[in-house]
Amino acid sequence: MRVCPYHVFDLRALAAADKAGMSWRGRLKARLHGNRQAFVARPDDCHACGKCVAACPEDAIRLA
Ligand code: SF4
C-alpha cells in the first residue's frame, strides 16, 4: 500500500469467507498480521509499474 503511487490497494480485516479458502499457514500469517490484509480495490488504476512486486516481503504479487 505504501509504495503504490496510484492507491490501488486497500487494507481491511479478513472476513470469515476470505479465510475459508486459506491454508493453515495462510491463516497463521493472517493472525500474525492482525487479521488484516491488503486487497486490490482499484485494479483499473494499476499502471504496472512493479513497485508493489519489488516491495512485497512475501513475494505474493504478480503482474498479469
Ligand atoms: S504495479 Fe500497479 S498496484 Fe503495483 S505499485 Fe504499480 S500501480 Fe500500484
Side-chain angles (χ1 to χ4, degrees):
M1 287 182 59
R2 284 192 298 270
V3 301
C4 180
Y6 300 99
H7 311 289
V8 169
F9 300 97
D10 275 348
L11 186 68
R12 68 169 170 82
L14 286 161
D18 297 322
K19 289 188 276 188
M22 295 170 71
S23 67
W24 69 266
R25 189 167 179 256
R27 288 194 297 273
L28 177 62
K29 282 185 175 183
R31 178 174 264 198
L32 293 173
H33 289 282
N35 200 41
R36 299 182 308 162
Q37 181 173 308
F39 287 87
V40 178
R42 289 165 289 281
D44 291 343
D45 291 348
C46 177
H47 286 59
C49 69
K51 290 182 178 181
C52 59
V53 177
C56 179
E58 299 285 347
D59 194 28
I61 303 173
R62 303 275 186 280
L63 295 179

